[in-house]
Amino acid sequence: MAQGNLKYQFARLSVAEKLIATNVLVFIVSGLFPFLLNLPKNSIVQWFELPKDFINFLGQPWSIITYSFFHGGFSHLFWNMLILYFFSRTFLNLFDAKRFLNVYFLGVILGGIFFVVSYNIFPAFFNISAVLIGASAGVRAILIFICAYIPNQDIRLVFFNVKLWYIGVAVVVLDLLQMPYGGNAGGHISHLGGALLGYIYARQLLNGKDIGSGFAKIMDAFIDIFKRKEKKAPLKTVHRNKKTTNKKTKSDTKDVNQRKIDSILDKISKSGYESLTKEEKDFLFKAGKE
């Protein structure tokens, strides 16, 4: 009964909340198991962290994504998940879950690539032993995507409003300034990779091009492998004309909805989210849930 209730509650979460819950669960398990079994602290993490050495990376290529589910401490996890939750709410009011995952995981991948490449071409990092963990690159991708897509949208910070593009610029500048200090140069480099992905994705999307469509197809194909059933579905007799008509009706409805979404998003990019009417906000919210 309890297990069924947990599954139900998890299913009701947004894609961002599911991602946050997964990160929290991984953090607990990766810390608790080594403690209970009296194993080295990094005995689990070492199989999923992203190594700086290219040869070592070839031995565990999955780490280009899995590194993002592990964190170095509670503070590292807390701030990443807090920022992700905050900006995901705006993102999912504008777009669907699939695009959210496209931006997030492409940010993770590019952040990881920036880390590995930088540690193998810049002399300052040659003699430094480092690995990469944390969701920061993906979180940066979501954050900068929003800041680039609706840059003139005001956001409330404690006692005053500030435009989103100010926040985006401040975040990138802070990473650049902190890179030579604090012993986390690799982390800041990966942040910049994620930020670059978020910016390019948003600006290309405003020009009508979804640079994540190819990645989405790869992910869909990967998911279909696990969804494929052993038994074939029973054959059904369907009138051809009726089937064609139904497909056409659904396609027409989808095209009309997409045109309306594009019109609303264009209005947001020019005048900000608050310029929308209640009906437009409700329509965009419902579209993001589909």
Side-chain angles (χ1 to χ4, degrees):
M1 184 75 175
Q3 184 179 2
N5 186 51
L6 283 174
K7 288 182 178 179
Y8 173 73
Q9 294 297 332
F10 186 79
R12 292 186 61 190
L13 299 176
S14 72
V15 64
E17 291 167 342
K18 289 177 181 177
L19 195 56
I20 291 170
T22 302
N23 273 273
V24 171
L25 181 61
V26 169
F27 179 76
I28 294 172
V29 171
S30 63
L32 188 61
F33 273 30
F35 171 75
L36 294 176
L37 300 177
N38 197 27
L39 297 172
K41 188 175 181 181
N42 69 335
S43 57
I44 293 179
V45 179
Q46 65 180 339
W47 297 105
F48 303 97
E49 64 193 10
L50 181 64
K52 75 161 190 174
D53 186 79
F54 186 71
I55 301 300
N56 292 338
F57 165 68
L58 292 179
Q60 51 185 77
W62 57 84
S63 63
I64 194 67
I65 289 179
T66 58
Y67 82 85
S68 67
F69 290 98
F70 294 82
H71 291 80
F74 178 76
S75 178
H76 190 198
L77 173 73
F78 175 79
W79 288 110
N80 271 339
M81 296 304 101
L82 181 65
I83 295 171
L84 181 62
Y85 176 75
F86 183 79
F87 282 91
S88 69
R89 295 171 64 188
T90 302
F91 193 110
L92 293 173
N93 274 335
L94 300 174
F95 302 103
D96 61 13
K98 182 177 289 187
R99 183 159 289 160
F100 175 87
L101 292 175
N102 285 351
V103 175
Y104 181 86
F105 282 112
L106 284 174
V108 166
I109 292 170
L110 190 59
I113 291 173
F114 267 44
F115 169 78
V116 174
V117 170
S118 295
Y119 271 75
N120 283 276
I121 66 172
F122 293 123
F125 304 129
F126 286 174
N127 297 319
I128 297 177
S129 177
V131 293
L132 182 64
I133 56 173
S136 301
V139 174
R140 283 294 194 282
I142 294 295
L143 187 159
I144 298 300
F145 177 96
I146 293 299
C147 293
Y149 195 83
I150 46 176
N152 294 315
Q153 173 67 33
D154 286 331
I155 186 172
R156 188 72 175 176
L157 287 182
V158 190
F159 301 115
F160 57 91
N161 291 340
V162 61
K163 293 188 182 300
L164 279 172
W165 76 266
Y166 291 164
I167 294 178
V169 170
V171 166
V172 172
V173 169
L174 282 174
D175 275 319
L176 289 170
L177 292 176
Q178 293 179 80
M179 193 184 303
Y181 311 102
N184 188 32
H188 293 298
I189 289 171
S190 72
H191 297 174
L192 294 174
L196 179 63
L197 183 282
Y199 177 81
I200 293 175
Y201 202 128
R203 301 314 297 180
Q204 288 296 305
L205 199 59
L206 286 169
N207 292 328
K209 183 179 181 181
D210 185 355
I211 64 173
S213 57
F215 179 75
K217 291 177 181 177
I218 294 174
M219 293 301 296
D220 287 342
F222 182 76
I223 293 172
D224 285 343
I225 294 175
F226 297 94
K227 287 186 174 181
R228 195 173 297 157
K229 296 181 180 180
E230 294 182 0
K231 295 182 179 180
K232 294 182 178 180
L235 295 175
K236 295 182 180 180
T237 302
V238 182
H239 194 279
R240 188 169 183 176
N241 290 338
K242 183 177 180 181
K243 185 177 179 180
T244 303
T245 302
N246 287 340
K247 282 185 177 180
K248 186 175 181 181
T249 301
K250 291 179 181 178
S251 178
D252 290 343
T253 302
K254 187 175 181 180
D255 288 342
V256 171
N257 287 342
Q258 188 58 52
R259 284 196 295 269
K260 187 172 181 179
I261 291 172
D262 291 341
S263 176
I264 294 174
L265 294 179
D266 184 58
K267 184 176 179 181
I268 292 174
S269 66
K270 292 178 180 178
S271 308
Y273 183 75
E274 296 303 322
S275 67
L276 301 183
T277 64
K278 184 180 183 302
E279 290 74 17
E280 289 172 329
K281 291 179 180 178
D282 291 342
F283 177 83
L284 200 59
F285 180 77
K286 291 178 181 178
K289 290 290 184 180
E290 293 179 353

